[in-house]
Amino acid sequence: MIKTRWYKDAVVYQIYPRSFCDSNGDGIGDLRGIISKLDYIKDLGVDAVWLSPIYKSPNDDNGYDISDYTDIMDEFGTLDDFKELLEGLHSRGIKLIMDLVANHTSDEHYWFRESKKSVDNPYRDYYIWRKGRGKDGKKPPNNWTSSFGGKAWEYDETTGEWYLHLFSRKQPDLNWENPKVRQEIADICNYWMDMGVDGFRCDVITYISKKSGLPDGKFNPIFCGSEQYVVGPRYHEFIKELNAASWSRYDSFTVGEAAGITISNAYECIDESVCELDTVFSFEHLCYADMYFLVIPHRLSLKKFKKILGSWQALPKTCQNTLFLENHDQPRSLGRFTGNYSGFRYEAATALAVAMQLQRGTPFVYQGQEIGMTNCKFADKDYQDIMFRQIMDIVKYIPFGKCLARYCFSRRARDHARTPMQWSAGENAGFSSGKPWMMVNPNYKFINANKDMSADKSIYKFYAKLHAYRKGNDVIIDGDYKDICPNSSDIFAYERKLGDKTVLVVVNFKNKAVKFKLPAEYVGRASQLQLSNYADAQERIADTKLRPYEASVYSVD
Ligand code: NOJ
């Protein structure tokens, strides 16, 4: 199969189906709800949709705990609905990528239910079972912790052994050392791709290979043990094998969720020559630019942010980047990356879009980002995420633990991205005619798709314009990248250059006017405005005072 690498000139729109659109009034988004919004997606000018998991699941972690990889979650609809959705996307020229959750399954998956039954069950070795430590085996096999807090092992009475779960106890880790497991995963990928699916976003894919012997991790009260499994010893071998057995047989696109892939090992993970993943989501730019110790939020350091993004831009062009600020695990980007944007919501949201999307890579837009949805104010009872419940349960033993955790969650909770999509100013923001599974952000009367799309300053329409500008634009797809203001804490400005074509992107990240001095090498050259979030932006680039969140793009001769 010839790989066209269509993703190089594509924008991907992520849908979190549970919160996107509910067609039957049960308060939970579903596939027919998505089908009803296909023209909205098409008109945004995106090329592909990534669906967060839609498979059968008991929903301990909203679908990231799968109990049947070949069927659709009851609340979301049926396989026929799925086929209609796929057809509806394809007929509009939009590809579909699914979420492949292959590090773990649900404990309600048939394989795990069998695996639990006895030590000699044929499925026993599909998971990671170990005897406990201590005389009676009642201490976990090692000191690893789960990403959701607490130990990463669960004791099972039936056989008196422990199983590993790097996430919740209802998400047992698969044993990738077992070739049968690897074959099952390849078969699952082929099943969906034979149906017409165009690729996968691979959930926590860097965790699949654990160091043999499962040694203790270095002491770390929050994430203990990760150095024993992040991009583990057989990671590359497993991914190459899966690529050969499945992905490479189709004109596919794969993007790995890749904690642990940094600029230092990116080449060996995503270069076209290695035949592994096509690209990855790295989290360096999200974590290090605005968190202390990876946990406590602080103000964005624009300089750090640009430096990290720039280091990824410097990879060879055979390594594709992803360009994103939001997903279902991240808080909303307005505020997080813009500071106080009061009075400038349109300008701030569109400035972020320009700054990110004109770098080299595949942009991802998360549902609601295109209308400037924001974080929500939650009381403890409003949080739905298992992570909130588990962490609050642990920190209650620490003095001021709950207060500190509440502060962190108010800024960083995953729930911020999961409030229902705000379609209109009507009941439940037009998301559902029933009671939504989680609270609607009360600002929906003011922020909603209907209102945005009919406003003079429409964020949605700006995104559509930006996508049209990118489409087929070889300087943006392939050009070199150079940060032209690396020392500015206020301005993000860069050059894209391919052959004799040059584009300059200039974005003010501040809520006030900021002076921009045009670097000497561009002074006196002819230039032409291509795109701006201010209707009266100057036609030629020059020294200027950029207005709050002003973002303009120029071609330069
Ligand atoms: C990453 C997913 O994005 C997140 O939502 C999920 O909780 C974990 N992986 C576990 O699957």
Side-chain angles (χ1 to χ4, degrees), residues 383-542:
Y383 286 101
Q384 297 295 326
D385 187 3
I386 178 173
M387 195 175 206
F388 176 81
R389 295 196 299 275
Q390 289 208 185
I391 304 260
M392 285 311 247
D393 218 40
I394 294 169
V395 296
K396 66 183 179 212
Y397 301 108
I398 306 168
F400 306 109
K402 275 192 157 187
C403 287
L404 180 62
R406 254 185 218 114
Y407 167 72
C408 294
F409 278 111
S410 73
R411 308 275 297 270
R412 288 288 176 273
R414 308 197 298 179
D415 287 294
H416 289 300
R418 301 176 180 185
T419 57
M421 176 74 189
Q422 294 163 208
W423 293 105
S424 72
E427 196 192 1
N428 301 321
F431 161 73
S432 171
S433 58
K435 186 174 171 343
W437 73 278
M438 92 171 285
M439 74 178 276
V440 175
N441 191 324
N443 66 14
Y444 72 93
K445 294 230 147 102
F446 168 63
I447 301 175
N448 62 68
N450 281 356
K451 182 160 189 270
D452 182 84
M453 292 168 82
S454 54
D456 282 346
K457 291 183 182 177
S458 160
I459 302 171
Y460 174 96
K461 285 190 186 152
F462 187 88
Y463 263 97
K465 225 160 128 186
L466 182 59
H467 297 155
Y469 173 69
R470 290 189 94 260
K471 194 81 206 145
N473 187 331
D474 52 355
V475 189
I476 303 303
I477 298 163
D478 251 349
D480 294 334
Y481 171 95
K482 186 170 82 179
D483 186 342
I484 60 171
C485 285
N487 295 322
S488 170
S489 305
D490 303 331
I491 294 173
F492 192 169
Y494 52 88
E495 176 200 81
R496 301 297 313 279
K497 188 168 176 9
L498 188 72
D500 56 1
K501 292 189 204 158
T502 301
V503 168
L504 288 187
V505 178
V506 180
V507 182
N508 177 9
F509 263 64
K510 285 276 158 347
N511 56 3
K512 54 177 199 280
V514 169
K515 267 198 195 139
F516 171 70
K517 179 141 185 50
L518 185 65
E521 63 184 291
Y522 306 105
V523 175
R525 286 165 64 179
S527 60
Q528 182 58 52
L529 181 69
Q530 304 293 314
L531 190 75
S532 178
N533 59 355
Y534 274 76
D536 56 349
Q538 57 189 41
E539 285 299 319
R540 318 233 171 279
I541 192 162

Side-chain angles (χ1 to χ4, degrees), residues 37-189:
K37 300 294 181 187
L38 286 179
D39 288 334
Y40 172 89
I41 297 168
K42 167 80 187 153
D43 293 345
L44 186 58
V46 300
D47 307 277
V49 161
W50 151 28
L51 282 186
S52 277
I54 56 168
Y55 319 92
K56 281 220 183 317
S57 163
N59 283 307
D60 191 49
D61 184 19
N62 290 347
Y64 283 91
D65 48 321
I66 297 171
S67 54
D68 182 350
Y69 287 85
T70 56
D71 206 351
I72 306 297
M73 189 189 300
D74 293 335
E75 297 92 317
F76 288 178
T78 64
L79 259 181
D80 283 339
D81 295 330
F82 175 76
K83 287 178 185 159
E84 193 178 322
L85 169 60
L86 184 59
E87 163 59 25
L89 285 165
H90 282 171
S91 66
R92 287 169 177 79
I94 300 172
K95 308 221 182 245
L96 176 65
I97 67 172
M98 305 266 281
D99 218 306
L100 177 69
V101 186
N103 174 70
H104 46 266
T105 68
S106 160
D107 65 342
E108 296 181 31
H109 193 289
Y110 173 76
W111 302 336
F112 190 73
R113 285 191 280 118
E114 285 297 304
S115 178
K116 253 175 101 161
K117 285 184 178 161
S118 68
V119 292
D120 47 18
N121 185 282
Y123 288 93
R124 184 67 169 183
D125 205 28
Y126 270 44
Y127 295 87
I128 302 174
W129 291 95
R130 291 291 182 277
K131 290 198 175 0
R133 296 210 261 211
K135 258 206 271 103
D136 55 1
K138 287 288 173 68
K139 283 204 189 119
N142 68 23
N143 66 355
W144 298 1
T145 52
S146 135
S147 294
F148 291 158
K151 57 181 183 307
W153 294 92
E154 186 70 8
Y155 183 71
D156 181 56
E157 296 284 350
T158 323
T159 55
E161 291 191 356
W162 299 73
Y163 65 87
L164 179 70
H165 60 88
L166 293 178
F167 293 88
S168 94
R169 61 170 66 90
K170 285 185 66 62
Q171 293 168 297
D173 277 52
L174 281 165
N175 175 18
W176 278 66
E177 298 292 324
N178 181 347
K180 285 194 200 141
V181 168
R182 307 203 296 272
Q183 187 59 52
E184 300 269 18
I185 301 299
D187 291 347
I188 289 165
C189 291

